[in-house]
Amino acid sequence: MKGSLLAVLALGLVGANAQAERYILKNPTSSLVTAQAVKTIELGGDRYVVVNAPRFSAFEASLADSAEKVMVDYKIGVPATKPGHQIQDAKGAWWWDDKPTKAWHPDKLKYAELPADRDGTGRIVAVLDTGMDYNHKALKDHVWTNAKEIPGNGIDDDGNGYVDDVHGYDFEGNDSDPMDGDAHGTHCAGVIAGGQDEISGARGVAPGAKVMAVRIIGNEQTGFMSDAVEGIKYAVDNGATVLSNSWRVYRSWSTYNPSDENIELMRKAIEYAGSKGVIFVAAAGNESKNMDRMSDDPMWPGGYEGLTNLVVVAASDEDDKPAYFSNYGSGHVMVAAPGSDIISTVPGNKWQSMSGTSMATPLVAGSIARGLSANYGPDRAIAKMMETSVRSDLWTTKVKSGGTIQLTDYLRD
Ligand SMILES: [Ca+2]
Ligand SMILES: [Ca+2]
């Protein structure tokens, strides 16, 4: 690792530019490095220090010998939301139909018939995303509040390491305000626990659950893996039992020294969540790719193998068919859930339709919160969701469960 980093540094001198690269240093030994820390994360007995280093600077060159391991801090992003309802004509061309005015997913999943005493009460779902409009009229009563933290006094009242973290934290901006600078995170939060939109009928699947705002993605819809790792640890340590992750990274996104070793820390964070009984739900992505055949360009976190608390989600449309954009692959993707033309909350007391595995993911996360409120326990909450899925030939090779989620049987003893 050290050798390859130096080699890349040397090669890079040819085309020098002024960009800075962000690095994660495992157990650094140099005080020069720790003095420059953007953030420090303690995980599994190891210490990870994040630094910015101008490309081709003396500081960057010094990093290779300053720590046990030097990793590029991968850039992460939310899957671009896709245009909604599509129809294909006889010549195979795709056309966009009119946007829906009625939310279909609450009827499809029979929200009105689901047991009210298994509505996610007492469960916290962390939304790791662009932030959350916690003032939205349909969200404000469903947002997690850190009862031990006094807002705005500049003091870390509960001693959890974060000052004034009342509804969550902004790990991207390193401040206490996880307000949504986009709309993506607010949309996901509404899918989980939002109140009802009187016009469309849109509402959250788990009205009793609370949503924790973990902002890891900036206003350009990108962020850093280290912020996600810190956000995962924060959410787990502060009571979330389900983590909703509508973001991902492809190896090809890192043009500079890409290596699978760089994602070791993200895996460790998901394992940490698993060790605490926390379920990590992740989007399959919107590139119409078979995730079982991506060894040339792996994607994470959906592409990890051997993590028992990881639930990867594909998107279905109103006819229970695979959404045209959804990634798939029964070796990696567990289940499918409605993710096409999903109406939910967006900032400014509004509702909007969005399409993507980003929307299917919080739907599964919220459904699991309902399962946990039926006291299933994490393993059963996942296994029963697989068992009760509606199987279809269209899904056999696409998701491990063979179909789309179905909640009436899922929440029945
Ligand atoms: Ca605090
Ligand atoms: Ca405070």
Side-chain angles (χ1 to χ4, degrees), residues 148-158 162-166:
K148 290 173 282 182
E149 186 68 42
I150 299 163
N153 65 352
I155 295 168
D156 178 17
D157 300 288
D158 64 345
Y162 297 91
V163 172
D164 293 342
D165 56 320
V166 179

